[in-house]
Amino acid sequence: MLRLLVDAAAGATVTLALSVLPFSPLAGGASAAYRDGGGYVHSFTVGGLSGVVAGVPLLALFAPALWIAGRLGFGITPGAPAYDLFLAIAFALFACYTVGLSAVGGLAGAAIRRHTGIDLDPASHL
């Protein structure tokens, strides 16, 4: 269990380090699953867990940015009646992007480990 959490934290670190690039959760999930070395279902879980771990600090940046954007007039202002629905949709899309792409990256990491000789272990590159 501890190894699973360490691998997920390593994948989350990769996601956070590459967060300025689009689709960075794919790389984080792939590196977490590559480090773990399990099968496809287990790698999907490890990648998803990596996305959950990476989502916490990203959410700490996303929530205030969403509020500031609303205050500046972009999207729906915080006083609007549909603001709660807007927040629910925005956070659902954020979760799908972060956790979903990390889980898909976990599948990619398992496939890369199984079928190629490419080294995706972040500990060997950082």
Side-chain angles (χ1 to χ4, degrees), residues 2-93:
L2 181 63
R3 178 163 170 78
L4 176 74
L5 293 175
V6 169
D7 293 338
T13 303
V14 170
T15 299
L16 293 173
L18 298 176
S19 64
V20 297
L21 301 174
F23 305 110
S24 64
L26 281 172
S31 64
Y34 186 88
R35 276 181 57 95
D36 193 60
Y40 288 111
V41 174
H42 185 72
S43 296
F44 185 80
T45 305
V46 172
L49 184 60
S50 171
V52 169
V53 172
V56 173
L58 289 176
L59 188 62
L61 297 173
F62 179 69
L66 192 62
W67 184 80
I68 290 170
R71 283 288 187 197
L72 292 176
F74 299 105
I76 298 177
T77 59
Y83 189 66
D84 294 336
L85 178 63
F86 171 73
L87 283 181
I89 291 171
F91 285 114
L93 289 173

Side-chain angles (χ1 to χ4, degrees), residues 51 89-101:
I89 291 171
F91 285 114
L93 289 173
F94 173 80
C96 287
Y97 176 78
T98 306
V99 179
L101 282 180

